[in-house]
Structure formats: C-alpha cells, structure tokens
Amino acid sequence: MFSKVYDEQRKLYRNTKQAVTETIRICKDRNVLKEYLESKEQEVVDIMMALFDDEQILKAYIKEIKDNTVKEIAKETAERMIKKGKRILEEIADYVPSLSWDN
C-alpha cells in the first residue's frame, strides 16, 4: 500500500521531498505502517531522498552512454563517407548533423 501511495504522489509532485512527506502523511492517515512511520519518519524521508539522488545519477550515466554512442556512430559514418570520396565537410554535416566539428 505504501508503494501505491508513493507512486501516486510521485505523479503529482515528481521526485521531491513533498512527494515523500505526502506519502508518509497519507499512509499514517490510512493506518498503513503508521507506528513505523511515526517512529522513523525522518529516516524514511532521508532514505527516499537518497533514492532520488541515486536515480538521478543513474539517469545521467545512461544519458552520457547514449550521447557517447551517438557521437561514435556519427564519427564512424563520417569516416566511411570520407573513405568513399565525400570530402566536403558541409556534405558530411548534412548526413551526420549530430557530429561536432570541434572534436
């Protein structure tokens, strides 16, 4: 039940402290883990906020991997085009817009 309430609150408040505190408040009102939440409320908030941080770190890491993959594919495509005689940078840029010419 706690997880269900938490999911609902995340939809409303995203990954914020308000989502966590509202989840705790609602659960205590509904007598879901009430005693535990009353005695360990700050610990629950701290743990849930740490989970947000971990989730953000993981998302950033995944985005970095995807960005690096896109760049690598773009470079490989440009190299193949150069090998096939397409030496005009503007022409390559038309086909590989994600490639940065600064690198």
Side-chain angles (χ1 to χ4, degrees):
M1 188 65 175
F2 180 88
S3 295
K4 183 177 179 182
V5 172
Y6 176 61
D7 288 343
E8 292 169 358
Q9 296 309 303
R10 280 183 68 181
K11 287 177 187 172
L12 294 173
Y13 302 109
R14 300 186 186 230
N15 290 343
T16 63
K17 188 173 182 177
Q18 186 173 5
V20 175
T21 56
E22 283 299 303
T23 299
I24 292 170
R25 183 191 61 76
I26 292 167
C27 286
K28 287 191 317 190
D29 289 347
R30 294 180 183 173
N31 205 24
V32 174
L33 301 172
K34 185 176 182 173
E35 289 178 30
Y36 181 81
L37 292 172
E38 286 176 344
S39 66
K40 306 282 188 183
E41 183 168 345
Q42 188 57 51
E43 290 174 54
V44 172
V45 171
D46 292 345
I47 290 168
M48 299 304 283
M49 295 308 296
L51 290 174
F52 291 157
D53 292 342
D54 290 348
E55 187 175 324
Q56 294 303 320
I57 290 168
L58 180 59
K59 284 180 181 179
Y61 178 69
I62 290 170
K63 183 182 181 321
E64 182 179 341
I65 289 172
K66 286 180 181 177
D67 290 348
N68 288 339
T69 302
V70 167
K71 287 178 185 177
E72 187 61 34
I73 291 170
K75 286 178 182 180
E76 290 171 3
T77 301
E79 288 171 0
R80 281 195 312 274
M81 292 179 76
I82 290 168
K83 286 178 184 176
K84 291 194 176 211
K86 306 229 185 254
R87 298 186 188 272
I88 301 170
L89 289 179
E90 290 80 16
E91 186 175 71
I92 294 171
D94 285 343
Y95 290 98
V96 191
S98 63
L99 188 61
S100 169
W101 299 106
D102 299 331
N103 295 347

